[in-house]
Amino acid sequence: MSDSSITSSKNKSQSSDKLAPVADVDNIWLLPDGVSDLFSEEAQKQEWLRYRLTRLLVSRGYELICPPMIEFTESLLGNASEDLKRQTFKIIDQLSGRLMGVRADITPQILRIDAHLNKMGKANKIARYCYAGHVIRTLPDGLFGSRTPLQLGAEIFGSDSFDADIELIDVLYCLIDNLDLKKHLHIDIGHVAIFARLKELAGLSDNDASVLMNLYANKALPELKQVCEELPMGSDFYHLAVYGHDMTALKEALSDTATKDAAIIKAVGEVQTMVRHIKDTYQSNVSVDITELGYHYHTGIVFNAYFENESQAVVRGGRFNGESFDAASNAPTAIAQELPSRSATGFSLEVTRLQRFITLNESKLVLVSFADMQGVRNDDNTKLEKDLVNKISELRDLGHRVVRPLSDDDVPNNVTHKLILEDGEWVLRAV
């Protein structure tokens, strides 16, 4: 090979390592849909909400835990529905070669942690957990939803008592009321056990149940009526959608078989008790939708909370069995067979969605006079230098933001006050 061919080959190799030029410089800063930067005020709002809400949860006895952002898919998606699997980014672990997932929901991680602690004998008989962390999703919830929301939640494991569901509602209202947002909140109550029990009584296949659930979700009453005409106890399934907002009317519309069933009677009673509790205790807007069936793992009462007229729920919660199930067969996964099952209830809240309702108190932005600061340094006046340090510390303790400039042109935007030297004292003056 000639020297020229070697040089040519080397140049080609070097050029291939270089990034291709970007035609439009603006594209360098383009973020994916559903992903955004948070600047100054919005970033402060998010951190303020995270800190305030987690402190409230901890004060009520909930143990703060921080699961990792990534896990092997066997544990992260062992109990996942097909929807959650689609929402999860997958990556290859460069150390082991195994498939990992970036979490799209934190609740499955809490389930894993509690199951592990319970198996090791380290979990409380009744355990309370809380968390706050970002999740990353392949698709946003809704047209303008975020793919990287900050998710905060609370869970109770080890209690099948309805009092635990009441406690979770009380915790939710504690958080919302502390932010003075209760007037914006509307909560929608459902109960998975009513549909699940009707499915058992009618002997429906999983495929028929899936068709009904999709029709319920889409509020497709004409199509639902047509499908129900071909099903055993079809009128009961149809009446769930027609009268599912009124427990008294629903009980009158259901068949004798359904109204005399103990599980259905209990579920209807729990919905009525929950609605009464919310109205009497919080004077809050509440409605009922028995066809709201939560996520695939929910087993009892479920609830969604909305702010104002938003179509996407800000809070989702309900009762579930602390066991991993395969969404297709509804049977315990291999992981679940190794772990003890625990009754559980909980909710998750999308903190990012609360930010538009929050207004932070504006703190003063103080800029130290660079000329005065330099004069003190040039005079080697250690007393005034020490006084400056103490004054800055005092102002910061009061919640003010104080900047010591590095040069004469180091001037932040929105400065509200200057700290200047007057008659041998550091004095705060409004700009």
Side-chain angles (χ1 to χ4, degrees), residues 71 75-76 79 84 105-113 297:
E71 289 190 35
S75 60
L76 186 65
N79 69 320
L84 185 57
D105 184 18
I106 297 179
T107 295
Q109 296 183 292
I110 308 302
L111 188 151
R112 171 185 58 78
I113 290 170
Y297 52 75

Side-chain angles (χ1 to χ4, degrees), residues 343-358:
S343 295
T345 184
F347 68 81
S348 62
L349 181 157
E350 195 170 306
V351 176
T352 314
R353 301 267 299 281
L354 300 182
Q355 291 178 210
R356 71 184 183 94
F357 297 100
I358 301 300

Side-chain angles (χ1 to χ4, degrees), residues 128-173:
R128 292 171 173 83
Y129 306 107
C130 65
Y131 58 84
H134 282 92
V135 295
I136 301 180
R137 296 167 179 162
T138 59
L139 297 169
D141 286 336
L143 184 60
F144 302 108
S146 172
R147 296 165 70 189
T148 60
L150 176 61
Q151 188 181 78
L152 176 141
E155 317 274 354
I156 300 176
F157 280 76
S159 174
D160 58 5
S161 169
F162 186 63
D163 289 340
D165 300 288
I166 294 288
E167 177 178 325
L168 259 297
I169 288 291
D170 290 341
V171 169
L172 173 60
Y173 273 95

Side-chain angles (χ1 to χ4, degrees), residues 385-403:
E385 178 67 30
K386 185 176 180 180
D387 288 347
L388 175 60
V389 171
N390 291 337
K391 186 67 176 180
I392 290 175
S393 179
E394 175 189 326
L395 291 172
R396 286 172 175 164
D397 288 343
L398 291 173
H400 304 329
R401 296 170 292 156
V402 184
V403 175

